[in-house]
Amino acid sequence: MTLTDPFDLTGKVAVITGASRGIGRAAAEAMAAKGAKVVISSRNLGPCEEVAAAIRDAGGEAMAIQCSITHQDQIEGLIDKTEAEWGTVDAMVCNAAVNPYYGPLADLPDEVFDKIMRSNVRSNLWLAKRVKDGMAAKGGGSITIVSSIAGLRASPMIAAYGVSKAADIILAKNLAQEWGPEGIRVNCVAPGLIKTDFARALWEDETRVAERNAATPLRRIGEPHEIGGVVAFLASPAAAFMTGETLVADGGVTSV
């Protein structure tokens, strides 16, 4: 009997947006640790190169490619460069997002709403469409969108962000239905509050964090590596029969 690792990603090509820090970096590190060749991407090249170098120093394979996801030509360039260096993308992780507004929807400026939807939803569709044909020709692939529990329940602080993350969840479901026959799996991860720079405005408020922890079964907020592992799982053979799903990793917040 030959034992195989259901989480093995050896030789797989993975592109992760927003990978210079936080959840994106944790996902890249987790995937590289399982053997994937990872592309570290974000708007600023310098931090991406630092992450790629750290992964290589740890024995993994990584390269950095600059890309602002709100520009379709840069998304094309990101995948073009990846394919030229390593071939077809096997795992696309759509992690980059913005949240420039805190407050009620009634006060949300139209231009800010448009920015949120462009960055958090439309860019993910662009990324998915760009890698789709290559994955289909190869017999399949995995697309993972990092959503949020803000897309599953109302929030007085980050409602606009939540609207975009709810849209990501239904985007994944529809793409999963459309592309499943070609072997392409599309799933979401919905983290709770994670200690990242992106969510700093939420977790630096000690009073709010104490209240949240008291209402969280695990009595704490999450760490980036606890989401990175979930992302790596969804790209692995262990998740080969999963598509159109949203995995919640929130310490139990939405279970109560």
Side-chain angles (χ1 to χ4, degrees):
M1 178 179 180
T2 301
L3 297 178
T4 59
D5 180 0
F7 305 100
D8 184 30
L9 293 171
T10 299
K12 300 298 183 182
V13 176
V15 176
I16 304 100
T17 64
S20 63
R21 58 184 182 174
I23 290 172
R25 176 172 185 162
E29 290 172 343
M31 297 175 85
K34 299 307 295 183
K37 301 177 179 179
V38 295
V39 175
I40 311 300
S41 178
S42 76
R43 289 176 297 174
N44 300 312
L45 185 59
C48 291
E49 290 178 330
E50 292 176 8
V51 174
I55 289 173
R56 290 193 296 269
D57 288 345
E61 291 188 73
M63 67 176 172
I65 301 176
Q66 185 176 15
C67 175
S68 174
I69 58 168
T70 57
H71 297 277
Q72 192 169 20
D73 61 330
Q74 293 192 33
I75 285 177
E76 292 288 339
L78 169 63
I79 306 305
D80 286 347
K81 291 174 184 175
T82 299
E83 291 175 340
E85 187 71 23
W86 283 339
T88 303
V89 175
D90 297 290
M92 181 72 239
V93 180
C94 305
N95 170 68
V98 301
N99 183 29
Y101 177 80
Y102 292 83
L105 291 173
D107 298 330
L108 175 67
D110 287 348
E111 62 272 17
V112 177
F113 181 69
D114 289 345
K115 178 179 180 179
I116 291 171
M117 297 302 288
R118 283 196 305 269
S119 297
N120 298 1
V121 184
R122 188 178 68 180
S123 66
N124 293 338
L125 179 57
W126 279 347
L127 286 160
K129 289 168 64 176
R130 177 59 184 81
V131 300
K132 185 256 185 185
D133 288 345
M135 288 182 176
K138 205 172 185 177
S142 169
I143 299 169
T144 302
I145 299 173
V146 178
S147 180
S148 168
I149 62 169
L152 299 173
R153 63 179 197 167
S155 167
M157 285 292 293
I158 54 172
Y161 177 75
V163 169
S164 72
K165 291 304 177 176
D168 279 335
I169 290 170
I170 198 63
L171 173 63
K173 285 185 177 294
N174 278 279
L175 293 180
Q177 287 289 318
E178 293 180 20
W179 298 351
E182 296 175 274
I184 300 170
R185 300 184 298 106
V186 189
N187 292 289
C188 279
V189 178
L193 181 57
I194 307 299
K195 196 172 184 179
T196 63
D197 288 342
F198 183 82
R200 184 177 294 277
L202 298 176
W203 59 260
E204 276 193 335
D205 186 328
E206 294 182 3
T207 299
R208 180 179 290 119
V209 169
E211 293 173 350
R212 189 183 188 98
N213 287 350
T216 301
L218 290 184
R219 296 296 190 267
R220 63 179 178 84
I221 65 175
E223 297 288 341
H225 72 271
E226 295 174 309
I227 308 302
V230 178
V231 173
F233 159 71
L234 285 174
S236 76
F241 201 50
M242 293 181 62
T243 195
E245 296 300 324
T246 296
L247 288 187
V248 176
D250 66 355
V253 169
T254 55
S255 70
V256 297

